[in-house]
Amino acid sequence: MRFLNETGDGALCALPYLFEFWALPHQLPPEGDWRAWVILGGRGAGKTRAGAEWVRGLVEGPRPMDPGRARSVALVGETYDQVRDVMIKGPSGILECSPPDRRPDWKASERRLIWPNGATAQAFSAHDPDGLRGPQFDAAWADELAKWTKGVETLDMLQFALRLGERPRLCVTTTPRNVPVLVELLELPSTVVSHAPTEANRANLAASFLEEVRSRYAGSRLARQELDGVVLTDIEGTLWPGALLEAARCDQVPPLDRMVVALDPAVSAGPEADACGIVVAGARMQGPPQDWCAYVLADRTVQGVSPHGWAQAAVAAMDAFGAERLVAEVNQGGQLVQEVIRQVDAFVPFTAVHAARGKAARAEPVAALYEQGRVRHVDKLGALEDQMGRMTLHGYEGKGSPDRVDALVWALHELMIAPAAQYRFPRARMA
């Protein structure tokens, strides 16, 4: 209140347009000699406002008619309509952010903004990379780069067009996706990056929006990308690329014919010990095996607990989902695994499985089920999916042991692979 009382009327009128006063840290350009500034953020993190204010900061001078540091700016979006409706006329766009005495005019027929001081900004569509041949600029703002269908070609043309002034610069505002144009730009030594999740801008977002998206998508790869603003890159040779996991996602589960809980026991306890993988899955098994479909329902993995603790967690998962059987790997625990389980529930249906092959060899036929579209993910499985993305034909590329993946593999083997083999070769299985 004291600040407001001591501030003159003119300063108060100007205050809404002093972005440095209101901006979040990720919305302000970094110091240093960079060529491209990439703002990676979740939905609603304030990326568009940051891009619009960056353009304002370049083209405006101290007074309305004074020149700024940039005179010619390229505005590039996925389409012309999105440049106009989001970058220029949107609620966080250039026109809305500009004070009345410095607000540019939008010339729709020319697809051009013209400021009172003579600076201009021209709109371009990423669907038309060749539209950037010929013009030249001293600054450019590229919005939602990761969505551009001709991203590499358009960014190449834009880079060639940034050739005016002493330090032509590019600002990129985008929700991250694992696409070549973004990955390659981030790897350049002349690129600097700001990062912010959706919740960084929660003061300007509806509380109901945050509550809904977090409850609906928390723990998923989609949330890490769209809300946390993380670039989810695929490890070379992964058995489960990100696109495969996204294709497996579903919202509803049909009536299931069978359900199991799979357990990959930890051989030690304590905070530094490997986790104990516990995965719940079920299957719809109508018709021949090629028509069966499995549903991964939950990841109930625990860490740092005693054998009695993980046994309790596995039995609790069975009770919660009404699973018919508990499947547990016994290579390292042997008879002890079953004995611990029996101490918790003496009558639990139990199947002991032995790993005769390496983890990658066991995982490969399960990954093939995903490629065939026969596995669905229906819960918050972010930690499990992260491990899946690190499993390659040559082994696990992450830290520690892929306990969650091991449990998943045993569950889907019990539900899909072993019954299918019995269905096809009943005599061989009986022998």
Side-chain angles (χ1 to χ4, degrees):
M1 183 63 69
R2 180 179 177 183
F3 169 79
L4 295 176
N5 290 334
E6 295 177 354
T7 303
D9 291 343
L12 286 176
C13 291
L15 191 58
Y17 302 103
L18 299 178
F19 188 59
E20 293 81 358
F21 184 84
W22 302 102
L24 297 168
H26 70 275
Q27 294 178 307
L28 295 174
E31 300 291 337
D33 185 20
W34 49 266
R35 180 174 173 84
W37 172 31
V38 180
I39 307 175
L40 296 177
R43 299 283 186 91
K47 304 183 297 297
T48 303
R49 179 67 183 271
E53 294 285 1
W54 180 77
V55 171
R56 272 194 60 209
L58 290 177
V59 302
E60 292 180 5
R63 293 172 297 185
M65 303 304 292
D66 291 345
R69 289 171 290 166
R71 300 287 292 171
S72 182
V73 181
L75 305 175
V76 190
E78 185 179 14
T79 65
Y80 287 116
D81 288 347
Q82 291 188 5
V83 175
R84 179 194 63 211
D85 297 340
V86 177
M87 302 171 71
I88 295 173
K89 292 188 173 185
S92 297
I94 293 171
L95 293 178
E96 188 68 23
C97 296
S98 300
D101 60 344
R102 299 159 191 257
R103 183 170 293 136
D105 290 327
W106 168 239
K107 303 292 186 181
S109 61
E110 302 176 18
R111 293 173 177 161
R112 189 185 303 268
L113 282 171
I114 302 177
W115 274 264
N117 65 4
T120 63
Q122 188 173 351
F124 294 91
S125 167
H127 285 287
D128 180 24
D130 286 339
L132 286 159
R133 290 182 181 273
Q136 53 186 353
F137 308 96
D138 47 17
W141 172 23
D143 189 48
E144 292 299 351
L145 172 71
K147 289 175 57 183
W148 295 0
T149 54
K150 297 181 179 179
V152 174
E153 301 95 320
T154 303
L155 187 61
D156 284 345
M157 292 300 100
L158 181 58
Q159 296 281 24
F160 284 123
L162 279 171
R163 56 181 186 265
L164 293 181
E166 295 182 2
R167 295 200 314 175
R169 285 182 162 182
L170 166 67
C171 175
V172 174
T173 52
T174 187
T175 302
R177 293 175 62 194
N178 182 24
V179 292
V181 63
L182 180 58
V183 173
E184 292 170 9
L185 179 62
L186 293 175
E187 291 176 349
L188 293 176
S190 58
T191 297
V192 294
V193 181
S194 296
H195 176 270
T198 296
E199 291 186 4
N201 194 35
R202 58 185 176 273
N204 297 308
L205 300 173
S208 59
F209 162 76
L210 289 172
E211 182 179 352
E212 175 66 20
V213 295
R214 280 299 180 190
S215 64
R216 182 177 178 86
Y217 300 109
S220 69
R221 286 177 61 89
L222 187 64
R224 296 185 65 208
Q225 174 178 284
E226 300 294 324
L227 300 179
D228 296 333
V230 176
V231 181
L232 302 178
T233 56
D234 290 332
I235 292 176
E236 184 176 356
T238 177
L239 293 174
W240 284 283
L244 193 63
L245 293 173
E246 291 302 330
R249 204 169 309 286
C250 72
D251 295 326
Q252 297 182 341
V253 183
L256 301 177
D257 299 303
R258 189 161 183 247
M259 196 179 305
V260 301
V261 170
L263 169 69
D264 181 56
V267 295
S268 58
E272 301 300 323
D274 289 335
C276 174
I278 301 173
V279 170
V280 185
R284 181 78 169 164
M285 306 172 72
Q286 302 296 315
Q290 59 266 29
D291 295 335
W292 298 353
C293 187
Y295 293 80
V296 183
L297 304 173
D299 177 7
R300 294 298 178 89
T301 297
V302 294
Q303 185 168 15
V305 301
S306 65
H308 187 77
W310 51 248
Q312 283 184 317
V315 173
M318 291 190 67
D319 293 339
F321 287 87
E324 291 89 6
R325 182 161 292 274
L326 177 61
V327 181
E329 181 181 319
V330 297
N331 280 52
Q332 299 188 61
Q335 185 64 26
L336 173 65
V337 174
Q338 184 171 354
E339 291 177 356
V340 173
I341 294 292
R342 295 295 184 204
Q343 291 173 9
V344 176
D345 186 338
F347 302 102
V348 63
F350 179 86
T351 297
V353 290
H354 298 264
R357 298 182 296 167
K359 295 179 185 294
R362 297 198 307 272
E364 190 172 0
V366 173
L369 295 175
Y370 283 80
E371 294 171 358
Q372 297 162 15
R374 297 171 60 198
V375 183
R376 298 283 183 264
H377 284 195
V378 296
D379 197 18
K380 302 165 185 176
L381 303 170
L384 169 61
E385 291 173 348
D386 284 347
Q387 282 195 357
M388 294 170 73
R390 294 184 175 92
M391 180 62 73
T392 75
L393 288 171
H394 305 292
Y396 183 59
E397 299 294 333
K399 295 182 179 179
S401 177
D403 313 278
R404 302 170 195 267
V405 174
D406 284 343
L408 171 79
V409 167
W410 288 123
L412 296 183
H413 187 277
E414 175 71 17
L415 288 169
M416 302 284 283
I417 296 174
Q422 187 173 14
Y423 185 96
R424 294 177 60 194
F425 308 110
R427 293 184 179 177
R429 293 290 297 176
M430 290 176 62

